[in-house]
Amino acid sequence: MARSARRERDRRRSPSSARHADAIRVALMEVAPAGLKKPRLMAVTELSGSQIVRGLAGYRELAGEKKWPPLLWSFQGGYHLCEDADELEEWERHWAEVKATEIGGVIEGILAPHARLFPRSRWISYVEAQMTAIQSSLDMIAHPQSQ
């Protein structure tokens, strides 16, 4: 990553979100492998709801950098640290399916009408092709063929 891009990213991440992320990490490590739902996470960390939200966003930014375990959310357990390959794969497939559906909606609801209005536009042809390729890639992640 270019030095200027790294500085820009660090500028966007506030020191408080990093502190909140660390507080969330410590709280979840103490209850692992169980998880905590947001109200309990707020009580344990003594953070407000908005601080929890910023801390969760900060955690996702810092996890790869600091080699922290992935953070997942489920209806049953709330937020939890996950090191189970099958659970991570299932979450990633679900995420890919959700994003493919969202992109399909953009293609059908925004790009297709734009293309009908301006059929000779190079811009819309390019954007539509790229978004269709992204949707196809996400579909292949969400529904891989058996090998």
Side-chain angles (χ1 to χ4, degrees), residues 38-110:
K38 189 175 177 182
R40 187 72 187 125
L41 191 56
M42 289 169 57
V44 170
T45 59
E46 298 180 352
L47 297 173
S48 70
S50 61
Q51 289 172 324
I52 291 290
V53 169
R54 285 193 302 273
L56 292 168
Y59 187 99
R60 289 187 181 98
E61 287 180 10
L62 291 167
E65 208 173 284
K66 299 202 178 227
K67 297 184 172 69
W68 291 348
L71 175 67
L72 298 183
W73 182 86
S74 68
F75 283 110
Q76 299 83 13
Y79 294 100
H80 63 284
L81 304 177
C82 181
E83 294 186 5
D84 177 35
D86 292 336
E87 186 179 6
L88 286 168
E89 186 176 319
E90 180 183 333
W91 187 91
E92 291 157 354
R93 286 176 196 256
H94 178 71
W95 176 88
E97 187 169 11
V98 167
K99 294 301 174 187
T101 302
E102 287 176 5
I103 290 173
V106 170
I107 292 169
E108 292 298 317
I110 297 171

